[in-house]
Amino acid sequence: MTTTGSHAVQDSSIHPVVAEKLAALGPGHPRLIELFNAVSAALKQVVREHHVTHEEYCQMVEFMFGVAGEGEMGLICDLILEAAVVESDYAASAGTAFNAEGPYYIAGSPRLDVPCRMPMRPDEGGTPLLFTGGVSDTQGRPLAGARIELWHSTHDGLYSNIDPEVPEWLLRGQFVADEQGRFEVRTIRPEPYEISRHGPVGRMLHAMGRHRFRPAHLHLKVSHPGFRQLTTQIYFDADPYLDSDAANCVHRSLVIRLDGPSQAEAGSAYGFDAPFLTGRYDLVLQPAA
Ligand code: MBD
Ligand code: FE
């Protein structure tokens, strides 16, 4: 129904930036109307089926204000829905499985030169890790020069440019695969990621008797001309939260084994001064549509 769509566009309670984007779509945008109506029907169905009281509705509205006020909108959306969207939009694609981007990706991270070393503090906590791999197409042909963006949390669960406690761009970097499509990067192994216990999302999880953890993970975006950009995450086996990820993202094909810690020859170029872990993942890109 067109009227529903234009109402949504003109509603003055919509954030100005969002309203501007909606207006740019023009009136009667069919996809917007389809989704707006489907979401509103699904929510009304929940209200009827579960006999939602007015008090519960008010609590929900208050909760959403809290989420927005505490800067947790991205977090709650990705936590509840992104895994399902990724699964639906990238279903059964050849190549490496896609996985949620999460709320903390930032474009324009520092470009790293070989030997690649993620931006770290001199005393960066956590076990040193040498993460290596290759980038190829679905036929196994190496993709020389493929660009890899890597970002992850500190060992105590903070993302740079999000948490003011850590320096800008810490543990965020981008680099390119060599002539054989190979890459090596020195970083640290993140630990399981705990959603803040003080924010509304963390308190909601706690109220439901659920823990607030995601298994430790590395975020990656891999791109190469002529190929579909891959956004994914890598997990580590033996992680206690692989089967109960608060964001429900884990995919078996993305779980790797870490070897070590050892003080192997391979690390000398990177100046590891402590025993380090090694982990490898071979990334496979699918052709652009
Ligand atoms: C994260 O760090 C994350 O990667 C996802 C998908 C959701 C919440 C926090
Ligand atoms: Fe994350």
Side-chain angles (χ1 to χ4, degrees):
M1 216 169 64
T2 327
T3 41
T4 314
S6 51
H7 269 127
V9 169
Q10 282 155 16
D11 186 339
S12 61
S13 70
I14 296 174
H15 187 280
V17 173
V18 178
E20 202 173 292
K21 281 188 184 161
L22 287 174
L25 296 173
H29 190 279
R31 180 67 171 165
L32 171 62
I33 295 167
E34 176 190 340
L35 295 182
F36 182 92
N37 289 346
V39 169
S40 99
L43 292 174
K44 287 169 190 168
Q45 176 66 16
V46 171
V47 168
R48 284 189 291 266
E49 214 172 279
H50 296 271
H51 306 288
V52 173
T53 66
H54 193 249
E55 193 188 348
E56 286 168 336
Y57 166 75
C58 292
Q59 284 171 353
M60 182 275 289
V61 172
E62 200 177 318
F63 172 74
M64 291 307 292
F65 269 103
V67 169
E70 298 290 322
E72 291 191 342
M73 281 303 282
L75 174 64
I76 197 167
C77 292
D78 292 350
L79 198 71
I80 294 176
L81 219 49
E82 195 183 7
V85 173
V86 167
E87 196 176 302
S88 159
D89 197 22
Y90 305 107
S93 50
T96 301
F98 283 68
N99 212 236
E101 177 177 304
Y104 307 134
Y105 169 69
I106 299 179
S109 61
R111 289 166 187 260
L112 311 180
D113 293 321
V114 174
C116 298
R117 188 179 184 280
M118 291 289 270
M120 287 181 282
R121 293 163 287 196
D123 56 346
E124 196 64 49
T127 311
L129 167 66
L130 187 65
F131 179 59
T132 70
V135 185
S136 70
D137 68 10
T138 51
Q139 262 74 59
R141 289 182 291 243
L143 297 179
R147 179 162 297 279
I148 300 139
E149 294 175 78
L150 175 65
W151 74 103
H152 62 85
S153 70
T154 61
H155 77 109
D156 51 354
L158 306 176
Y159 279 91
S160 65
N161 306 43
I162 301 294
D163 201 300
E165 274 179 51
V166 295
E168 278 211 312
W169 301 110
L170 190 86
L171 300 173
R172 295 178 184 270
Q174 54 179 307
F175 41 89
V176 292
D178 68 12
E179 283 310 307
Q180 285 77 50
R182 312 248 341 132
F183 67 88
E184 289 192 341
V185 60
R186 174 188 170 169
T187 188
I188 54 104
R189 178 188 60 189
E191 298 294 325
Y193 177 79
E194 184 179 16
I195 291 162
S196 167
R197 62 178 70 229
H198 307 295
V201 173
R203 279 187 272 122
M204 174 190 72
L205 292 172
H206 183 70
M208 289 191 293
R210 284 167 55 174
H211 68 69
R212 287 178 297 267
F213 286 89
R214 294 211 61 224
H217 55 279
L218 303 175
H219 289 278
L220 295 126
K221 268 187 197 284
V222 189
S223 35
H224 196 63
F227 292 82
R228 195 175 193 187
Q229 179 174 266
L230 169 72
T231 300
T232 195
Q233 300 182 40
I234 301 300
Y235 304 92
F236 312 125
D237 67 359
D239 189 296
Y241 299 106
L242 285 178
D243 297 321
S244 64
D245 179 2
N248 210 9
C249 288
V250 180
H251 193 290
R252 275 287 145 194
S253 67
L254 299 172
V255 180
I256 62 169
R257 189 190 70 234
L258 293 181
D259 292 319
S262 69
Q263 187 71 72
E265 192 62 24
S268 55
Y270 294 88
F272 282 113
D273 45 20
F276 59 94
L277 298 164
T278 51
R280 177 190 166 129
Y281 196 88
D282 290 325
L283 301 144
V284 180
L285 300 189
Q286 47 179 297

